[in-house]
Amino acid sequence: MIIEFRCERDCARRWMCRETLSIDGRDVPVRIAWTATTESRPAGLDALFELERMVLHKGKPSGAGKLEITPERAEAGAGTADVIVDFTGAARDPKCSARLYLRPLFNGAAGENAALAAILAGDLPVVEIVNEVDGAVLDRGHPSEEIAAGLSGALETVMARTLTMVAAILSGRPRILPQLARPAADAARRGPVGYVARGLAVSIAKEIYRLCCYAPHWHVGWRFSENAGVWQTKDLSGPGWTVLADPGHRFYADPFPITWQGRTFVFFEDLDHRVGKGIISAIEFGDTGPVGEVVPVLEEPWHLSYPFLIEDDGELWMVPESSLHGDVALYKCIRFPDKWERHATLLSGLELADVTITRHNGLNYLFGAWRDGTGGYSDSLAIYYADHLLGPWLPHASNPVLIDRASARPAGNFVTINDKLWRPVQDCTKGYGAALGLAEIVELSPTTFRQIARHSLRPGPAWPGRKLHTLNRCGRLEVIDGSRIQPWTRAFASQARSTILPSRTSSSSAH
């Protein structure tokens, strides 16, 4: 297979500097055909990108940075291309004989200027890949922007996800085409200078915020609900939520409650801001709330979070997120709640976050937020299936089955309501973990998947935190999480009180 990227010479970017495209683990050769520029570009764009590189990216090169075209790169290579991916705004040559002529569209328009126009209007575009041979839309996705720093970062993120979709199409796997509404601009389109200036100001403000506060600082909310919970009311109304107290310099997130051997515990990510690495901790709940102290239950040399729990074959298992370690590991409970043993590796060699498993129509299905090393980490959903929990786990025929920042990333346990399967999803439209969606799964098999996000939950009077991230329930106990502003001085004072006061009590009792 010969793949040819068609790119405008005056829009040469570092992300185009490639000799291969990874398709299902195979490095397929790519050549670049440089074309004349069809549209004028925003004045001073490369200078603005260079400014962002120094300030936002700390001097590191960006994929949106200018690429110098050497004589070697200028040569497109011999032979007729089997596949052309046209990143320009120029019309297709009707005499082109390529069997596939892929045209990325950004909110329905072609070329880098179209992608920039969408970003400058206040949002990342919906990306569509069209085969101009027959006009068919082959894939569609909406990237997330949690790692998109500035205008250059946003453009790099969009192009990274565009290449994800191109690679999926060229793999030959069937694509699932979701219906995604193109975003409406929140404000009038800014010019690049104004956009970058605002981005730099926001970046500086964030740095000041990080100097004063632990960020992000997540916290767990809990309540007892005798009757209807969130899944029934489709909102956060009902009994008030109580925040699980934390030491201030550590945050709690991703709560998963379970009753096992007659005791109920909530397991969660426990991250020490001073170390920057998460472990899994737990706290027992009685009839009226937490009982005793938070206890660490699982730690590895790498970061752990999202402690998904599952009962299988009379045993209790945990699948904590270990995407930074590049695998999906299964831990067996040896002593409840605080002794777990790594039992098996379900999947390896991939970044898969927030793994959540359900059983449906006789098969186990494993959902996770998938990342191919570039772009955002909350917009792509991959599914695997197996007869048994220990596997072997096989990939869904259409992985990634969905690229949508509003409904891809898991946010808690599956639930079945009136024989219908639902799952909570992270709605990252307004940023990572900003809101929750309740999605009904309409089709699920090793070759099909379709869901409809029917309800959206956001922070408000009932949950005044800044975000809404995870939803789970066990019996009467319902748990969520969100974030709050946590000045490090307050955390230090809280920590000092917790260490000084017990010593004073001990000293006075000794006398």
Side-chain angles (χ1 to χ4, degrees):
M1 180 192 300
I2 300 177
I3 303 173
E4 180 177 287
F5 284 4
R6 292 197 173 176
C7 306
E8 294 182 350
R9 184 180 296 271
D10 290 344
C11 296
R13 305 282 177 215
R14 291 180 60 89
W15 68 264
M16 302 171 185
C17 182
R18 59 177 61 244
E19 296 180 352
T20 61
L21 180 67
S22 179
I23 301 176
D24 283 344
R26 296 178 296 112
D27 289 331
V28 179
V30 169
R31 71 186 190 196
I32 308 293
W34 300 105
T35 70
T37 302
T38 57
E39 298 178 295
S40 61
R41 301 191 310 146
L45 189 63
D46 289 331
L48 292 172
F49 281 1
E50 179 63 17
L51 178 62
E52 288 188 336
R53 183 183 72 84
M54 298 304 298
V55 178
L56 298 183
H57 303 284
K58 297 179 173 58
K60 296 180 180 179
S62 162
K66 185 175 178 60
L67 175 67
E68 297 298 331
I69 304 176
T70 63
E72 294 79 13
R73 287 189 180 132
E75 179 59 45
T80 302
D82 302 292
V83 178
I84 291 176
V85 187
D86 195 337
F87 292 95
T88 77
R92 167 178 167 261
D93 182 354
K95 297 179 181 179
C96 178
S97 61
R99 63 179 178 83
L100 275 178
Y101 196 104
L102 304 182
R103 175 87 67 174
L105 300 180
F106 309 103
N107 284 352
E112 180 182 284
N113 279 1
L116 289 172
I119 297 166
L120 292 171
D123 208 346
L124 298 193
V126 167
V127 182
E128 293 176 312
I129 311 295
V130 176
N131 181 16
E132 291 200 345
V133 173
D134 59 10
V137 178
L138 302 183
D139 211 345
R140 181 183 291 123
H142 203 172
S144 61
E145 56 182 332
E146 63 268 270
I147 64 169
L151 182 58
S152 56
L155 181 61
E156 181 178 16
T157 294
V158 169
M159 293 308 179
R161 273 297 161 266
T162 300
L163 292 181
T164 296
M165 287 188 276
V166 168
I169 291 168
L170 297 184
S171 73
R173 296 190 302 271
R175 304 308 301 143
I176 297 171
L177 199 63
Q179 296 300 314
L180 301 174
R182 294 173 189 166
D186 293 333
R189 175 179 169 182
R190 295 185 181 91
V193 174
Y195 186 98
V196 171
R198 181 180 181 276
L200 293 176
V202 170
S203 176
I204 292 170
K206 287 181 178 179
E207 289 300 320
I208 294 173
Y209 174 70
R210 292 189 183 98
L211 289 174
C212 302
C213 302
Y214 289 127
H217 190 86
W218 295 90
H219 58 283
V220 169
W222 64 271
R223 70 180 182 182
F224 289 113
S225 180
E226 301 292 344
N227 300 307
V230 171
W231 281 105
Q232 288 71 38
T233 62
K234 308 301 189 294
D235 58 35
L236 301 177
S237 62
W241 298 88
T242 300
V243 172
L244 180 65
D246 61 56
H249 65 283
R250 305 207 318 264
F251 75 58
Y252 301 153
D254 300 336
F256 278 82
I258 194 165
T259 297
W260 186 255
Q261 298 175 347
R263 301 170 72 189
T264 298
F265 278 79
V266 175
F267 291 73
F268 49 86
E269 174 192 354
D270 179 348
L271 185 142
D272 189 329
H273 286 291
R274 302 165 302 180
V275 178
K277 181 176 76 72
I279 66 171
I280 305 302
S281 293
I283 189 168
E284 187 169 9
F285 270 70
D287 291 336
T288 59
V291 176
E293 301 294 326
V294 170
V295 293
V297 300
L298 180 61
E299 182 172 4
E300 294 283 16
W302 51 86
H303 174 78
L304 297 176
S305 62
Y306 199 86
F308 172 77
L309 301 165
I310 185 170
E311 302 174 38
D312 186 78
D313 197 25
E315 302 286 353
L316 181 61
W317 308 85
M318 183 195 300
V319 186
E321 181 192 322
S322 55
S323 60
L324 293 179
H325 192 242
D327 65 7
V328 176
L330 180 70
Y331 291 78
K332 183 178 181 180
C333 185
I334 306 302
R335 181 183 66 212
F336 187 75
D338 61 347
K339 187 174 182 180
W340 298 78
E341 181 180 89
R342 183 169 176 135
H343 187 81
T345 300
L346 303 184
L347 296 165
S348 61
L350 79 171
E351 291 183 72
L352 203 64
D354 296 353
V355 163
T356 312
I357 300 173
T358 189
R359 191 158 182 86
H360 178 71
N361 290 342
L363 285 174
N364 292 297
Y365 287 92
L366 183 156
F367 285 55
W370 172 83
R371 187 166 183 257
D372 59 357
T374 56
Y377 48 79
S378 299
D379 53 19
S380 301
L381 174 65
I383 300 176
Y384 295 81
Y385 64 95
D387 290 319
H388 307 286
L389 179 62
L390 290 175
W393 290 89
L394 301 175
H396 191 280
S398 299
N399 275 347
V401 299
L402 178 68
I403 296 178
D404 179 25
R405 63 189 185 178
S407 64
R409 187 163 181 152
N413 280 310
F414 290 81
V415 300
T416 299
I417 303 173
N418 298 327
D419 296 324
K420 294 181 179 179
L421 185 63
W422 294 71
R423 73 182 190 107
V425 296
Q426 290 192 39
D427 182 351
C428 300
T429 302
K430 299 297 183 181
Y432 170 69
L436 281 174
L438 306 181
E440 179 188 352
I441 296 180
V442 180
E443 296 179 49
L444 178 59
S445 76
T447 59
T448 64
F449 172 73
R450 187 164 69 93
Q451 70 175 21
I452 301 174
R454 299 195 181 276
H455 307 281
S456 180
L457 289 74
R458 300 182 182 280
W463 175 247
R466 298 175 61 242
K467 299 198 174 190
L468 192 59
H469 184 258
T470 310
L471 171 66
N472 281 303
R473 181 164 182 159
C474 176
R476 300 167 50 237
L477 178 61
E478 198 166 30
V479 291
I480 59 176
D481 66 359
S483 67
R484 66 167 184 258
I485 296 174
Q486 179 69 20
W488 66 265
T489 50
R490 184 193 305 166
F492 178 79
S494 174
Q495 183 185 6
R497 285 194 299 269
S498 65
T499 55
I500 293 174
L501 290 179
S503 65
R504 285 179 177 173
T505 302
S506 172
S507 175
S508 60
S509 61
H511 285 83

